[in-house]
Amino acid sequence: MNLLRIFLILGGLFPLLLWSQPSPELKLDTDLQIEKVIAGPPENFHMLAAGRDGAVLFYQTDSFTYRKQNALLKIRENFWRFTKYTTDFTEIWSREIPVRAGVNYLKHYKDGSQMYVLLLQEKKKNQRYYQIANINVESGALKVHRGRLRHNVQVNDFSVVKNQAYIGGETIMPKWEGIARGAAASLILPIYFGALKYNEKNVCARIDMDKGKERTLPYEFRGRSKVVSFARNPWGRSMTVVLARNPKKGKRQVYLHEYAGEKLIRELELNPKGDNRLLTAKIKHLNRYEFMVVGTYAGAYRKQKIWKRIGAMLTGTRLPDAAQGIYVARFQRRKQVFIRYYNFTEFENFFEAYGPKEEKKVKSKVKKNKKRNKRRKKRKREAKEIFVDANLHLHDIIEAEDQYLMVAEAYKEMYRTRDRNGQMIFSEEGSAKEFIGYQYTHGIIGGINKETGRMKWDNSFPIWNMVSKTLQDRIQVLPPNPEDSITTMVYNFDAMLQSRKIKEGEVVENRAVKSLGRQFIRQTRDVNSESAITHWFDNYFLAWGYKRDEEEINGRGSAVRLLSAVKETKKLFYIYRVAY
């Protein structure tokens, strides 16, 4: 195996590879880090932060083998390595498993001492091959479950409870069907009602990893539907499946189905208490019988812009699932206690990332709308809302001492094409263009009262220049400190940690920037950002990613003698323990 591993832990080696000193706001544990020279693609490296139990690094190595499937066919398998470290980066154990070529990491989940990693076939086919690696974080004991999803599926979430794995999403329109629909719309008739319309169906696979059995849970819904997310109930050791459904034009409903093994123990529908369209949902189980729901919503179909509705009607398609606000709901046993809505125009600093002109424009509209609604109220007419579309990636709800924290990132889909001169053009429009990733614009955080569900405070944090091929939790949060009630938001991009500190919605430290090194692998708009950070334990974060080591490779600097064996390599994979 050609992968060369260099561990620079403790002692006098670190000053040679650290080019900047920590600022007063940020404590860098410079004696607690790992740097690895890597030869493979950076996107193959991943981390699990297991709290005080340590951390697990897992990645695809450059080793492979061939497994004989039958007399005529051999399948290439790549080796994936899992290595556990303590909180001071002492290696405890290392394991390897063979993974079928073309099957790559999608998501991981930790349930107690068990770690589960979902590896899914990248090429979308009618049946997608998967492997689930089950690792005991304490002992390193490892099992692998293999199977096939029975549909061409877009996977939205993965979770595990009691060794029952759940994979959920929706079906994808086959390529040939998309071509046929496009031909029907453009060749047969200039405007062909319904030709482009495709009703994706939800897919929820439950895999019994003890017995090796797989079952697709049946949801017979008419129209469009998909599995949005899963929520594990630690008290009942059950799993709640969140489904979104479009039963008819202009409607959107959210359903909650809770399973204990094969048994459906609870089936609920979220009541919007009006004509708002509920788009997504994240669940926080409070105890065996109560749970909080936070999700995104859009205004009623009739309240959307007229030109969007006309376009959807003529093409037979639907309005995009862009959010226009956040809702909070609470359930006790089988009863919905309340649901509350918060329009994006009500959020502090929400439009900071859009620039001064756009922020001023929206605030002016909101001000005029409030005056208009006062006059409408006197005439006993319905108040009107101003809606601003945003795509939102919701995190799991965080429980703090006296509140729940809602965290999300706003993003836009980015595409590229070339003009007649061969120049690359980037845009947010996806017609006949290549999708390059999701560009994050800003993070949002809000404190929610545990009993009433009211938003106590909120704030936003602009994210600069980050583009990722996958939607991930980029903003990480250190919950409010009981002593000073300060909440810290931080993200890692190109080995640059950027943080904002807020106290009950008020910014107390606007933006602290700290470099984890001097030279980095610069990301462009068409390259995936692989730097990441996650909350580890107490006030510590785990940061990892990639950077260049040009001086050592070019023979400049005193560290060249230590790294002379790796002159041909330019990429370093780093892991830092960072304290805030």
Side-chain angles (χ1 to χ4, degrees):
M1 186 175 67
N2 297 325
L3 182 64
L4 180 61
R5 305 170 58 206
I6 297 180
F7 297 97
L8 302 177
I9 308 173
L10 307 174
L13 295 181
F14 297 106
L16 299 174
L17 292 175
L18 293 174
W19 297 290
S20 59
Q21 295 301 318
S23 65
E25 308 87 58
L26 179 67
K27 294 180 180 179
L28 266 179
D29 287 316
T30 54
D31 60 337
L32 291 173
Q33 58 173 303
I34 299 175
E35 291 188 351
K36 288 173 172 288
V37 178
I38 64 171
E43 60 269 18
N44 287 340
F45 285 70
H46 309 279
M47 294 291 302
L48 166 74
R52 290 191 172 275
D53 288 339
V56 179
L57 167 67
F58 54 104
Y59 57 93
Q60 180 181 311
T61 71
D62 57 355
S63 298
F64 60 90
T65 186
Y66 286 94
R67 176 170 60 87
K68 190 173 181 181
Q69 186 170 7
N70 53 48
L72 300 175
L73 182 63
K74 288 184 178 180
I75 295 176
R76 172 170 167 157
E77 292 185 324
N78 302 314
F79 283 97
W80 279 67
R81 176 170 294 164
F82 296 79
T83 305
K84 181 189 175 180
Y85 301 95
T86 62
T87 55
D88 61 358
F89 291 154
T90 301
E91 184 176 331
I92 301 300
W93 51 255
S94 187
R95 305 285 187 270
E96 283 191 353
I97 61 168
V99 174
R100 185 170 177 165
V103 175
N104 290 309
Y105 168 83
L106 184 70
K107 196 169 183 179
H108 66 269
Y109 185 82
K110 185 175 180 290
D111 182 16
S113 62
Q114 301 297 317
M115 169 186 176
Y116 301 87
V117 179
L118 174 62
L119 302 153
L120 186 66
Q121 185 177 16
E122 279 194 338
K123 192 172 182 180
K124 296 179 175 64
K125 295 184 177 181
N126 289 338
Q127 293 191 9
R128 296 184 71 183
Y129 184 84
Y130 70 84
Q131 290 183 218
I132 300 176
N134 174 206
I135 305 101
N136 186 301
V137 175
E138 295 176 359
S139 66
L142 194 152
K143 299 178 183 177
V144 179
H145 179 82
R146 297 176 175 85
R148 291 181 184 273
L149 296 178
R150 300 175 186 174
H151 304 275
N152 185 12
V153 59
Q154 170 67 44
V155 175
N156 295 331
D157 204 2
F158 165 70
S159 191
V160 183
V161 62
K162 292 180 68 175
N163 228 22
Q164 305 287 312
Y166 290 78
I167 303 174
E170 75 262 30
T171 57
I172 303 171
M173 184 193 303
K175 189 175 181 180
W176 63 266
E177 185 176 339
I179 295 171
R181 288 178 182 272
S186 59
L187 299 178
I188 301 175
L189 288 172
I191 297 174
Y192 184 77
F193 292 90
L196 301 177
K197 183 178 178 181
Y198 172 74
N199 286 327
E200 63 264 23
K201 302 296 183 183
N202 62 76
V203 177
C204 185
R206 184 181 64 81
I207 301 149
D208 188 330
M209 299 185 66
D210 292 323
K211 298 179 181 179
K213 293 183 179 179
E214 177 190 324
R215 182 190 174 208
T216 301
L217 300 179
Y219 299 106
E220 298 300 329
F221 291 144
R222 288 186 178 181
R224 185 184 179 196
S225 63
K226 64 180 178 180
V227 176
V228 176
S229 63
F230 297 118
R232 173 180 169 271
N233 187 340
W235 286 273
R237 299 292 285 171
S238 57
M239 184 68 73
T240 300
V241 182
V242 180
L243 301 111
R245 177 194 173 201
N246 292 65
K248 58 183 180 179
K249 180 181 177 181
K251 295 292 183 181
R252 179 72 170 237
Q253 295 169 289
V254 170
Y255 295 85
L256 312 173
H257 290 224
E258 188 171 352
Y259 289 89
E262 295 185 358
K263 186 178 180 182
L264 176 63
I265 60 175
R266 188 155 47 187
E267 183 177 357
L268 303 171
E269 180 182 345
L270 204 56
N271 186 351
K273 302 288 186 181
D275 52 8
N276 284 330
R277 295 175 294 138
L278 306 184
L279 305 177
T280 61
K282 287 282 188 178
I283 293 177
K284 174 70 176 179
H285 285 279
L286 312 180
N287 52 52
R288 185 183 291 269
Y289 305 109
E290 293 183 276
F291 56 91
M292 189 79 77
V293 184
V294 174
T296 58
Y297 79 94
Y301 182 82
R302 61 184 173 82
K303 295 180 181 179
Q304 303 303 307
K305 293 179 179 178
I306 185 66
W307 60 268
K308 287 187 177 181
R309 286 185 282 158
I310 292 174
M313 180 187 69
L314 292 178
T315 58
T317 56
R318 306 172 183 85
L319 293 178
D321 289 340
Q324 295 168 335
I326 298 285
Y327 71 86
V328 179
R330 184 178 180 126
F331 279 82
Q332 290 180 345
R333 294 186 181 272
R334 296 179 177 271
K335 183 180 179 182
Q336 182 176 319
V337 181
F338 60 75
I339 184 168
R340 308 192 192 285
Y341 295 97
Y342 300 94
N343 192 306
F344 287 145
T345 58
E346 301 172 18
F347 281 64
E348 288 286 334
N349 303 328
F350 185 85
F351 299 98
E352 180 183 350
Y354 292 86
K357 285 186 178 180
E358 185 67 24
E359 186 176 10
K360 185 178 179 180
K361 181 180 176 182
V362 173
K363 286 183 176 180
S364 176
K365 282 185 177 180
V366 171
K367 189 176 180 180
K368 289 178 181 178
N369 191 60
K370 285 182 179 179
K371 292 180 180 179
R372 190 184 301 117
N373 282 336
K374 284 183 180 180
R375 295 194 296 268
R376 295 179 70 88
K377 187 176 181 181
K378 289 179 181 179
R379 298 172 188 173
K380 296 183 179 180
R381 297 178 66 183
E382 182 185 15
K384 287 188 176 182
E385 282 187 272
I386 292 178
F387 291 117
V388 178
D389 292 348
N391 295 312
L392 220 59
H393 170 68
L394 278 174
H395 295 210
D396 291 331
I397 302 170
I398 301 173
E399 184 172 8
E401 189 172 344
D402 60 344
Q403 61 191 319
Y404 296 113
L405 299 181
M406 179 278 301
V407 184
E409 286 109 2
Y411 66 91
K412 49 191 177 183
E413 296 180 357
M414 297 302 296
Y415 298 83
R416 68 180 174 186
T417 188
R418 292 184 184 275
D419 63 15
R420 294 179 179 179
N421 300 320
Q423 296 295 319
M424 192 68 71
I425 300 174
F426 295 91
S427 72
E428 298 173 41
E429 300 298 327
S431 178
K433 296 175 183 177
E434 179 188 357
F435 174 70
I436 61 170
Y438 304 98
Q439 181 176 351
Y440 292 80
T441 57
H442 55 291
I444 306 163
I445 185 170
I448 300 171
N449 184 288
K450 284 189 172 183
E451 296 299 324
T452 65
R454 297 192 181 278
M455 196 82 73
K456 299 167 62 177
W457 56 267
D458 66 86
N459 214 298
S460 298
F461 186 20
I463 301 175
W464 294 339
N465 303 320
M466 184 183 292
V467 177
S468 175
K469 289 282 177 131
T470 57
L471 284 174
Q472 301 177 30
D473 297 355
R474 294 295 183 179
I475 293 277
Q476 293 296 308
V477 173
L478 186 63
N481 188 329
E483 296 178 0
D484 53 20
S485 300
I486 290 179
T487 302
T488 302
M489 304 170 68
V490 59
Y491 72 91
N492 179 13
F493 178 61
D494 277 352
M496 301 285 285
L497 300 186
Q498 303 192 41
S499 63
R500 170 176 281 185
K501 292 186 177 181
I502 55 179
K503 183 176 181 178
E504 296 180 349
E506 297 295 325
V507 177
V508 296
E509 183 182 86
N510 188 27
R511 182 182 291 272
V513 180
K514 181 60 190 177
S515 167
L516 294 179
R518 191 173 68 182
Q519 293 176 325
F520 321 107
I521 299 177
R522 290 295 174 195
Q523 307 293 341
T524 60
R525 295 183 76 179
D526 60 340
V527 176
N528 194 17
S529 169
E530 300 303 335
S531 299
I533 191 169
T534 188
H535 182 230
W536 198 358
F537 63 96
D538 296 340
N539 65 322
Y540 289 99
F541 287 81
L542 191 65
W544 67 94
Y546 310 88
K547 62 185 178 183
R548 292 188 186 276
D549 195 13
E550 299 285 0
E551 280 200 351
E552 284 74 14
I553 290 160
N554 293 333
R556 298 191 301 273
S558 58
V560 66
R561 293 186 297 275
L562 298 172
L563 298 174
S564 59
V566 292
K567 288 181 181 179
E568 73 282 358
T569 303
K570 293 185 178 181
K571 291 180 292 185
L572 281 176
F573 176 75
Y574 66 83
I575 310 171
Y576 279 78
R577 193 179 91 170
V578 184
Y580 273 89

